[in-house]
Amino acid sequence: MAMPTLSPRLRQGRRGLLYLALLGGGLIWLYPFLWALGSSLKSTDGFFSGGLNPIPSEFHWSNYSEAWTQADFSRFFVNTVLFAMGTVVVTLLATSMAGYVLARTDFPGKKIWLGLVGVTLFLPHGYTIIPVFDLIQRLHLLNTLWSVVIVQSAGGMVFGTFLFMGYFTTIDRGLEDAARVDGANFHQIFWRIMLPLSGPMLATVGLFACITAWNSFFIPLVFTLSRPELHTLSVGMFNFIGQNSTAWTLVCAGSVITLLPIVLIFVVLQRFFINGLAGAVKQ
């Protein structure tokens, strides 16, 4: 049965309604950030009297300088950069190598092993934090940035490995066969041919790891609890919360300072991120 053909005006009207719905959904999604951005520029009285209105009556730009100095955000910013960069490097090295091995080798029980490992994707951090904490303590790494990097990287290993495994299986095996004819071994093929070809996936997994590490709160809090000088930006936000009062305008300013770098990184790398995900989904 043939479907009735819509007139051009009706198609244009439906497309306009779709755009309006998408625009409304986007504004609802962005509203919490816009509210925090507007509230970060309000006075203390204006914050409580303004309610859910994100537009400040007066602009108090000094909230940002106060948030930066009062909470020692400069130190937390450096800690966060080191933490995020370390997590990205460790995650990319481990997941790319594991993904290539799983994509190009077979062993008995491979599918069962992959299924069991995949189950760990659904385990919340809270259920495994005690044995992980005990392990880090026995390794004498507790209250160091290394402990935070290792634990945070371990949490993203399975997801990144599966993405790399899917991506490497899409690359033509003829390239590897030609390299073997020229005398290259397994490791040389990976480092000199396959890894340079996986640029989109490196950007995708790296961006995932960077965003997750930058926004992480639970792991940096637990593993640097007794050394406040090692806290990250997300944990440092607690400095605005006092026993009897909370500086909400500074909390909003600190939130914007924390979010702005990772938003800029995503805007710059979003093309690689989308290309990498598209390649993994096709597989």
Side-chain angles (χ1 to χ4, degrees), residues 118-268:
V119 170
T120 62
L121 282 171
F122 304 98
L123 290 178
H125 288 300
Y127 287 89
T128 58
I129 196 66
I130 294 177
V132 172
F133 184 89
D134 186 53
L135 177 63
I136 291 295
Q137 191 174 33
R138 292 173 186 272
L139 292 173
H140 303 289
L141 292 174
L142 194 61
N143 292 318
T144 63
L145 278 180
W146 274 113
S147 65
V148 187
V149 170
I150 291 172
V151 175
Q152 184 68 40
S153 303
M157 288 294 175
V158 178
F159 181 67
T161 299
F162 282 178
L163 285 180
F164 270 109
M165 185 179 67
Y167 188 81
F168 281 129
T169 54
T170 64
I171 299 179
D172 187 6
R173 286 179 178 267
L175 291 173
E176 296 166 88
D177 295 336
R180 289 193 187 93
V181 171
D182 291 337
N185 58 33
F186 187 83
H187 301 284
Q188 290 170 328
I189 291 173
F190 172 72
W191 289 108
R192 298 183 182 181
I193 298 175
M194 302 303 285
L195 190 61
L197 288 176
S198 62
M201 189 50 62
L202 286 171
T204 301
V205 176
L207 190 57
F208 262 123
C210 183
I211 292 175
T212 306
W214 193 278
N215 296 326
S216 180
F217 173 79
F218 183 58
I219 292 174
L221 174 66
V222 170
F223 290 93
T224 61
L225 190 60
S226 59
R227 291 191 62 186
E229 69 273 17
L230 293 180
H231 285 173
T232 57
L233 285 170
S234 56
V235 180
M237 296 285 292
F238 262 115
N239 290 350
F240 300 120
I241 300 175
Q243 186 173 2
N244 300 313
S245 64
T246 300
W248 290 110
T249 55
L250 300 187
V251 169
C252 293
S255 300
V256 175
I257 293 173
T258 303
L259 290 174
L260 198 57
I262 203 65
V263 171
L264 292 177
I265 290 174
F266 178 78
V267 170
V268 172

Side-chain angles (χ1 to χ4, degrees), residues 49-124:
S49 62
L52 296 178
N53 182 10
I55 301 175
S57 56
E58 296 179 357
F59 290 86
H60 291 260
W61 297 98
S62 59
N63 289 342
Y64 284 91
S65 60
E66 291 182 29
W68 186 266
T69 55
Q70 288 188 15
D72 203 8
F73 260 37
S74 57
R75 175 179 295 181
F76 298 152
F77 186 84
V78 173
N79 291 340
T80 307
V81 170
L82 294 175
F83 167 49
M85 289 178 63
T87 302
V88 170
V89 172
V90 172
T91 301
L92 289 181
L93 282 175
T95 57
S96 61
M97 291 189 289
Y100 179 63
V101 170
L102 291 173
R104 288 298 192 248
T105 59
D106 288 317
F107 52 87
K110 178 180 176 180
K111 291 184 178 179
I112 297 175
W113 184 85
L114 290 176
L116 292 175
V117 172
V119 170
T120 62
L121 282 171
F122 304 98
L123 290 178

